[in-house]
Amino acid sequence: MKNDLIELSKSKMIPIKSIVGYSILAIISGMSGFAFITVINKVISMSINPEIPQNGNYLYMFIGAIVVFFITRRWLSGGVISLSQKIFCNMRKDVMKLVIKAPYRNLQESKDQIYATLTSDVHSITNASLSVITFFSSIILIIACFVYMAYLSLSLFGLSIGIIAIGVGIYLLRSRKSDKLLKQARELESDFMNTFNSIIDGAKEININLDKGFDIYNDKLVGIVDKGEKTYTKAFVHYVNSELVSQILFYGLITFVLIYSGSLLELPIDVIIGFVLILLYLLGPIVSVMTLMPSMNQAKVSLGKMNKLKNDLKQMEYNDGIEEKEKRKFHDFNVFGLRDYSFSYGKDKFSVGPINLNINRNDVIFIHGGNGAGKTTFINTVLRLYDLDKGNAYINDQVVSEEDIDGIKELFSPVFSDFYLFDDFYGIENVDIKKVNYFLRLFEMEEKVTLKDGKFSSIDLSTGQRKRLALISSLIEDRPILVLDEWAADQDPYFRHKFYTEIIPEIVREHDKTIIAITHDDKYYDQADRLLKMEYGTLVEFQKKELEPMFSPMSMG
């Protein structure tokens, strides 16, 4: 756990200086409480033993201890609340920044682990950050009490240390099994998130056929949740049983000191009472330490999981973004070429390529093919969402070097079939309001949506209308190549016709765009400059003269 904490502190998720400062404050607060019990002990000794000189300053000592306790506890409480929230927010920001920079495919494979980390692990570590201060100050108080006990009676102190050591040993031995159970319970969190995501992602299918949902719930989700409940319960019950055994030994020690120490060890009554008072006061910090151990161990598991996730994300090939001056490096291309582009999901799994293709500026390219032919996979390789097994990209017949390859992404602005419509023009500086309004009119959305505070007034629209807004956002990005995956599938017949016959020609001609579109609208294939067909991962291009029979009146009638 120490190494995990060091790594997190280096990332500035856990501000170690703040924790040290608040720990010192907690010690002062705890020692003021210890001073209070010491003064009580002294006053009791004075009352019992008249030989002890009377001192009238104890009232001021009481008041001083109470004032110091109140002030330090108040500062500590506010500081700890602020610190815990800072740790919580820093952890989330740190992980999310890594997520943003991570490659798409790796991110999809790790999303369940990421969800579990951002929910369960972050909360565990945040709660433990509060416990660390209490845990540390309790240890200091225990040491202070030990010193005072040794001062009162070395013989009773030796006996007490022996009993306490036995109790701690029993607790540590029994807690090993609890630690293993906590690790098992944490593993179930990823399984729960995986099942939860299948319910959320498949919500439409489940809504149509509730039996699917109830099968997932009854056959999978309930089992995971119940197992998690039993595992967590078993782990914490082990901790509680260990704690109770230790407390019984402690109460036995107090009973022995109070009843037998006077006769066996010939100790005066004021020392016995003082020792018992210290033992009673010591019980609080000891119980506190034992109570905090489960959350500390749970945090240890979470720290390990979080650091593993961070290391996994860091080991991925990062996209740190492209400097502003480099963003338009390839925007003036005439020909964008692909040579021997190949990608495979793994050995003996589906693959695409090798593909050789030249995309000329202002081309309108339609790609069609059956389901599972590899169209979307091919597009993902072009967009560099998937890392190639082999192949090179060319700009104007010049190969793009490895150090510049991320700049290829700056050529494209896609609208995926499973698109996400953002509620603002993120990543676009100085949004051209006139241009947005122009496109709203072109896409016949001006009566549905306006610009409000620099963003769309509403995105609560039909799927087809939301796709129009997504394409408008892509156009405002002003990148040279638009990539559209089944964009027109959700448009009504009238607007689909307008899109192919009016909008595409206008944005190519007036806005200098190149278009790559996956489409099955064969009625409009004649609007393409080039038609490509994907068959089992291989791309085949039809010549224009081969397309003419497809669009003759007889073939279309």
Side-chain angles (χ1 to χ4, degrees), residues 51-121:
E51 296 179 2
I52 299 177
Q54 301 295 310
N55 192 323
N57 294 325
Y58 288 112
L59 174 61
Y60 301 109
M61 294 180 185
F62 277 125
I63 293 173
I66 293 170
V67 169
V68 171
F69 175 83
F70 175 81
I71 293 174
T72 54
R73 184 61 66 176
R74 177 64 187 84
W75 287 349
L76 182 63
S77 299
V80 165
I81 291 170
S82 175
L83 175 64
S84 65
Q85 291 306 305
K86 186 178 183 67
I87 291 172
F88 176 78
C89 293
N90 283 349
M91 284 181 178
R92 282 194 160 181
K93 287 190 290 186
D94 198 69
V95 173
M96 287 307 300
K97 190 171 184 179
L98 292 174
V99 167
I100 288 171
K101 294 164 64 178
Y104 170 78
R105 191 178 174 207
N106 300 87
L107 197 60
Q108 293 301 105
E109 295 171 352
S110 305
K111 65 179 183 179
D112 296 329
Q113 184 183 356
I114 292 168
Y115 286 148
T117 294
L118 287 175
T119 52
S120 175
D121 291 334

Side-chain angles (χ1 to χ4, degrees), residues 168-209:
V168 170
I170 293 172
Y171 183 85
L172 292 176
L173 286 173
R174 290 177 59 87
S175 64
R176 286 183 181 177
K177 188 172 183 180
S178 300
D179 295 346
K180 291 179 181 178
L181 290 170
L182 285 177
K183 289 181 181 179
Q184 294 173 16
R186 172 55 185 80
E187 294 297 333
L188 291 170
E189 288 292 329
S190 294
D191 295 337
F192 173 81
M193 284 299 173
N194 180 276
T195 308
F196 173 78
N197 287 332
S198 68
I199 293 173
I200 295 297
D201 295 340
K204 288 188 288 189
E205 290 80 358
I206 289 173
N207 195 265
I208 296 299
N209 183 356

